[in-house]
Amino acid sequence: EPEVTQTPSHQVTQMGQEVILRCVPISNHLYFYWYRQILGQKVEFLVSFYNNEISEKSEIFDDQFSVERPDGSNFTLKIRSTKLEDSAMYFCAFGREKYEQYFGPGTRLTVT
Amino acid sequence: QKEVEQDPGPLSVPEGAIVSLNCTYSNSAFQYFMWYRQYSRKGPELLMYTYSSGNKEDGRFTAQVDKSSKYISLFIRDSQPSDSATYLCAMSEGGTYKYIFGTGTRLKVLA
């Protein structure tokens, strides 16, 4: 299985602060996703990215969230003003085909 | 009614048993069906995917989709203690990139 890397592995931030989560893509994988998983709950779709633009986003992905590709390769998920309920594991995933998603190890975000 | 439902378990079986994991769903437009394995505090690992109805086999794993009943299954033959994990189903409609996950079934295979 292809390897996806995410940094940091754990981020602690105060409510209202901005956080940036990073994901290193797998080369030749065209589809990119961000998901979150609140502790003990299901994996939730946030946003998908294809051909350098957002292809779809969920109702969770409001104006506080943004996804970018700042250097043309790595992907970032930015949360502008974190809330306590943003505490979760955040996973990025890549795929060569629509039905294929290889997940990263995740970033654990703790908002205090 | 939830869009995707999964029995949370835990499901405990002896080593070597055949395991049956299931999901039901309500959206008849779902066409892509995936099964993931997730170990504690790790990312989901793709096990199998199927498109539309039918069966698919990969080693000890068999995935089945019954669209008429809105029911999908994952069978694990000759289960091993290393199979102990949470198993997630996920599905999406044909024209969308949005995948809906089940809550997961926790499986324990006892040595």
PDB file of all heavy atoms in Angstrom, chain A residues 10-14 87-88 108-112:
ATOM      1  N   HIS A  10       0.583  15.321  16.243  1.00  0.00           N
ATOM      2  CA  HIS A  10      -0.297  15.839  17.283  1.00  0.00           C
ATOM      3  C   HIS A  10      -0.108  17.348  17.384  1.00  0.00           C
ATOM      4  O   HIS A  10       1.028  17.836  17.411  1.00  0.00           O
ATOM      5  CB  HIS A  10       0.015  15.168  18.638  1.00  0.00           C
ATOM      6  CG  HIS A  10      -0.959  15.506  19.714  1.00  0.00           C
ATOM      7  ND1 HIS A  10      -0.688  15.283  21.062  1.00  0.00           N
ATOM      8  CD2 HIS A  10      -2.220  16.026  19.670  1.00  0.00           C
ATOM      9  CE1 HIS A  10      -1.724  15.673  21.786  1.00  0.00           C
ATOM     10  NE2 HIS A  10      -2.674  16.123  20.972  1.00  0.00           N
ATOM     11  N   GLN A  11      -1.218  18.048  17.378  1.00  0.00           N
ATOM     12  CA  GLN A  11      -1.199  19.506  17.478  1.00  0.00           C
ATOM     13  C   GLN A  11      -2.144  19.931  18.602  1.00  0.00           C
ATOM     14  O   GLN A  11      -3.319  19.536  18.594  1.00  0.00           O
ATOM     15  CB  GLN A  11      -1.647  20.126  16.158  1.00  0.00           C
ATOM     16  CG  GLN A  11      -1.821  21.623  16.171  1.00  0.00           C
ATOM     17  CD  GLN A  11      -0.586  22.367  15.754  1.00  0.00           C
ATOM     18  OE1 GLN A  11       0.034  22.033  14.758  1.00  0.00           O
ATOM     19  NE2 GLN A  11      -0.216  23.377  16.522  1.00  0.00           N
ATOM     20  N   VAL A  12      -1.610  20.712  19.525  1.00  0.00           N
ATOM     21  CA  VAL A  12      -2.443  21.265  20.584  1.00  0.00           C
ATOM     22  C   VAL A  12      -2.521  22.768  20.354  1.00  0.00           C
ATOM     23  O   VAL A  12      -1.502  23.430  20.139  1.00  0.00           O
ATOM     24  CB  VAL A  12      -1.856  20.978  21.988  1.00  0.00           C
ATOM     25  CG1 VAL A  12      -2.775  21.546  23.062  1.00  0.00           C
ATOM     26  CG2 VAL A  12      -1.673  19.484  22.191  1.00  0.00           C
ATOM     27  N   THR A  13      -3.725  23.312  20.377  1.00  0.00           N
ATOM     28  CA  THR A  13      -3.893  24.732  20.126  1.00  0.00           C
ATOM     29  C   THR A  13      -4.985  25.285  21.019  1.00  0.00           C
ATOM     30  O   THR A  13      -5.820  24.540  21.550  1.00  0.00           O
ATOM     31  CB  THR A  13      -4.234  24.983  18.650  1.00  0.00           C
ATOM     32  OG1 THR A  13      -4.189  26.384  18.376  1.00  0.00           O
ATOM     33  CG2 THR A  13      -5.629  24.473  18.321  1.00  0.00           C
ATOM     34  N   GLN A  14      -4.965  26.572  21.176  1.00  0.00           N
ATOM     35  CA  GLN A  14      -6.002  27.204  21.979  1.00  0.00           C
ATOM     36  C   GLN A  14      -7.155  27.615  21.086  1.00  0.00           C
ATOM     37  O   GLN A  14      -6.960  27.962  19.904  1.00  0.00           O
ATOM     38  CB  GLN A  14      -5.442  28.425  22.704  1.00  0.00           C
ATOM     39  CG  GLN A  14      -4.491  28.079  23.848  1.00  0.00           C
ATOM     40  CD  GLN A  14      -4.131  29.295  24.674  1.00  0.00           C
ATOM     41  OE1 GLN A  14      -4.075  30.411  24.163  1.00  0.00           O
ATOM     42  NE2 GLN A  14      -3.885  29.093  25.962  1.00  0.00           N
ATOM     43  N   SER A  87     -11.723  19.493  17.754  1.00  0.00           N
ATOM     44  CA  SER A  87     -10.813  18.455  18.264  1.00  0.00           C
ATOM     45  C   SER A  87     -11.179  17.117  17.636  1.00  0.00           C
ATOM     46  O   SER A  87     -12.320  16.646  17.760  1.00  0.00           O
ATOM     47  CB  SER A  87     -10.913  18.354  19.786  1.00  0.00           C
ATOM     48  OG  SER A  87     -10.455  19.538  20.407  1.00  0.00           O
ATOM     49  N   ALA A  88     -10.209  16.511  16.950  1.00  0.00           N
ATOM     50  CA  ALA A  88     -10.473  15.276  16.208  1.00  0.00           C
ATOM     51  C   ALA A  88      -9.171  14.793  15.594  1.00  0.00           C
ATOM     52  O   ALA A  88      -8.151  15.471  15.647  1.00  0.00           O
ATOM     53  CB  ALA A  88     -11.500  15.518  15.101  1.00  0.00           C
ATOM     54  N   ARG A 108      -3.613  14.362  15.132  1.00  0.00           N
ATOM     55  CA  ARG A 108      -4.560  14.520  16.244  1.00  0.00           C
ATOM     56  C   ARG A 108      -4.566  15.978  16.666  1.00  0.00           C
ATOM     57  O   ARG A 108      -3.527  16.514  17.083  1.00  0.00           O
ATOM     58  CB  ARG A 108      -4.175  13.608  17.413  1.00  0.00           C
ATOM     59  CG  ARG A 108      -5.169  13.675  18.567  1.00  0.00           C
ATOM     60  CD  ARG A 108      -5.138  12.401  19.394  1.00  0.00           C
ATOM     61  NE  ARG A 108      -3.849  12.145  19.999  1.00  0.00           N
ATOM     62  CZ  ARG A 108      -3.585  12.319  21.290  1.00  0.00           C
ATOM     63  NH1 ARG A 108      -4.512  12.785  22.091  1.00  0.00           N
ATOM     64  NH2 ARG A 108      -2.403  12.029  21.777  1.00  0.00           N
ATOM     65  N   LEU A 109      -5.694  16.633  16.476  1.00  0.00           N
ATOM     66  CA  LEU A 109      -5.837  18.044  16.848  1.00  0.00           C
ATOM     67  C   LEU A 109      -6.585  18.142  18.163  1.00  0.00           C
ATOM     68  O   LEU A 109      -7.688  17.605  18.285  1.00  0.00           O
ATOM     69  CB  LEU A 109      -6.580  18.823  15.760  1.00  0.00           C
ATOM     70  CG  LEU A 109      -6.868  20.294  16.082  1.00  0.00           C
ATOM     71  CD1 LEU A 109      -5.579  21.091  16.206  1.00  0.00           C
ATOM     72  CD2 LEU A 109      -7.782  20.904  15.029  1.00  0.00           C
ATOM     73  N   THR A 110      -5.982  18.809  19.125  1.00  0.00           N
ATOM     74  CA  THR A 110      -6.615  19.042  20.422  1.00  0.00           C
ATOM     75  C   THR A 110      -6.764  20.545  20.608  1.00  0.00           C
ATOM     76  O   THR A 110      -5.776  21.278  20.595  1.00  0.00           O
ATOM     77  CB  THR A 110      -5.781  18.455  21.575  1.00  0.00           C
ATOM     78  OG1 THR A 110      -5.582  17.052  21.352  1.00  0.00           O
ATOM     79  CG2 THR A 110      -6.480  18.667  22.902  1.00  0.00           C
ATOM     80  N   VAL A 111      -7.995  20.982  20.750  1.00  0.00           N
ATOM     81  CA  VAL A 111      -8.287  22.400  20.962  1.00  0.00           C
ATOM     82  C   VAL A 111      -8.676  22.594  22.422  1.00  0.00           C
ATOM     83  O   VAL A 111      -9.610  21.942  22.913  1.00  0.00           O
ATOM     84  CB  VAL A 111      -9.414  22.888  20.034  1.00  0.00           C
ATOM     85  CG1 VAL A 111      -9.663  24.384  20.236  1.00  0.00           C
ATOM     86  CG2 VAL A 111      -9.069  22.602  18.581  1.00  0.00           C
ATOM     87  N   THR A 112      -7.949  23.463  23.107  1.00  0.00           N
ATOM     88  CA  THR A 112      -8.212  23.674  24.542  1.00  0.00           C
ATOM     89  C   THR A 112      -8.837  25.038  24.799  1.00  0.00           C
ATOM     90  O   THR A 112      -8.775  25.928  23.937  1.00  0.00           O
ATOM     91  CB  THR A 112      -6.922  23.560  25.357  1.00  0.00           C
ATOM     92  OG1 THR A 112      -6.016  24.568  24.908  1.00  0.00           O
ATOM     93  CG2 THR A 112      -6.274  22.182  25.152  1.00  0.00           C
TER      94      THR A 112
END
